[in-house]
Structures are given as C-alpha cells and as structure tokens.
Amino acid sequence: VYDPLGLIETRNMYRYECMEVKHGRAAMLGFLHIILIQAGARFPGYLSPTAGLKFADVPSGCFASLEALPTAGWLQIMIVTAMAETGAGNVPDLPGPSGLAGGPTGLVKAGLLGQPQTADKAPGDIGGEIWQRYADPEERAFKLNAERNNGRAAMLGVTGCLIHELLGVDALYPTGGLGGAAPPPIFS
C-alpha cells in the first residue's frame, strides 16, 4: 500500500475497505449495463405498464436511459438496495422455493438479498450461505484482490463513459469506432 505519510496507521480502514468493495461491485454492474444498453440488448415487455413504457423504448445513452426510468422504478431500486444493504429482506420465516440451498425458506435463507455488513465479517462478505468461501488464505487473498482491481477498473470505466457522453460523443466509442461512427447494435 502506498502511504508515504503513514495515515493508514492512524485510522480504522475497515469501513473504507467495505465501501471500496461495495462501490466496485456496483460499478461492475453499471459498466455491464452500459455495454448491454449500447449493444441494443433489451428485455421483452413493459418497463412500466402504467406509463406505457416498454424496455425497447429506453434510449441507449447512459444519462438518457437513466432519465427514461419512471420515479416509481427508481423508488423500487432504492428499496431493494436498502434491503440488500441492511439485510432487511432476509426474514427467516418468509416462505420460498424449497429446492434452493437453505431448505424450505430457499431464497431468503440463501441470502440472495444479502446480509448486513458486520464488524465480524470480512469486507464485502454480505452474500449469505450460498456464496463461495475460500479456505486457502492465498487463494482467498488472490480472489479478493482480483475483485477489488476489477471494481477499480469498472469505476474508472463508468466514469469515462459518463464523461464521454457529457462531451457529446459515444460512451463506448468516443473516437468514432468503425469508420467514424459507432458500430451497429448487436441485438435488434
């Protein structure tokens, strides 16, 4: 760790490690969103039946796709995020499919909504019982470093795509891609 002033020794870095892993995971999902939206991938059906908005109607720009989402959709996203953050979705008596790990409570006991980050867990260890754990310390350190580095790269990638779009060029092909224009969508 590059710390020429020795500041890491003066404060507890656990909270910052948790935030780095969390933001890295969100950025990896965000960058995947940008790639899929730019490629033309859309779910079938309606995004908002009451607003008459289909998934196919959502524009492909980073900001435009975010602005097209209705307020109720943003509220749903924030509720699910808060439930994953706090572990509120893991109610032990909530019935779920019996075929999943965890027995009759299935989805809930499996921890698909996540469990709260507590001080006794490693940073980012919020996945519940179904997440892979590594007993070998070297393999575990390698996997955690790979996840952190991928998260850091995704944070820079998302930032770069947003800046490109703010500058008025294509998010993934700022220099023009093929023959001066963005390539055609892969999914149509």
Side-chain angles (χ1 to χ4, degrees), residues 22-156:
K22 184 187 316 175
H23 288 112
R25 289 173 181 166
M28 287 187 272
L29 288 173
F31 195 72
L32 183 63
H33 163 79
I34 292 170
I35 291 172
L36 290 174
I37 290 295
Q38 293 288 336
R42 302 290 194 277
F43 288 116
Y46 283 89
L47 174 65
S48 174
T50 56
L53 180 65
K54 292 184 177 182
F55 284 103
D57 298 336
V58 176
S60 65
C62 298
F63 290 108
S65 65
L66 296 175
E67 291 170 353
L69 193 63
T71 305
W74 278 113
L75 183 60
Q76 290 172 356
I77 290 171
M78 297 309 292
I79 289 171
V80 170
T81 302
M83 290 174 70
E85 186 75 25
T86 61
N90 288 333
V91 181
D93 298 327
L94 188 65
S98 59
L100 293 175
T105 56
L107 289 171
V108 175
K109 203 167 182 188
L112 291 180
L113 286 179
Q115 296 178 343
Q117 180 73 57
T118 55
D120 62 328
K121 295 181 183 175
D125 188 8
I126 58 169
E129 298 173 7
I130 64 169
W131 276 23
Q132 175 69 39
R133 303 295 194 286
Y134 299 98
D136 181 23
E138 286 184 25
E139 183 180 16
R140 186 173 182 275
F142 174 79
K143 298 285 187 177
L144 182 58
N145 279 334
E147 181 183 17
R148 285 183 177 173
N149 287 331
N150 288 338
R152 292 169 185 154
M155 286 186 257
L156 291 174

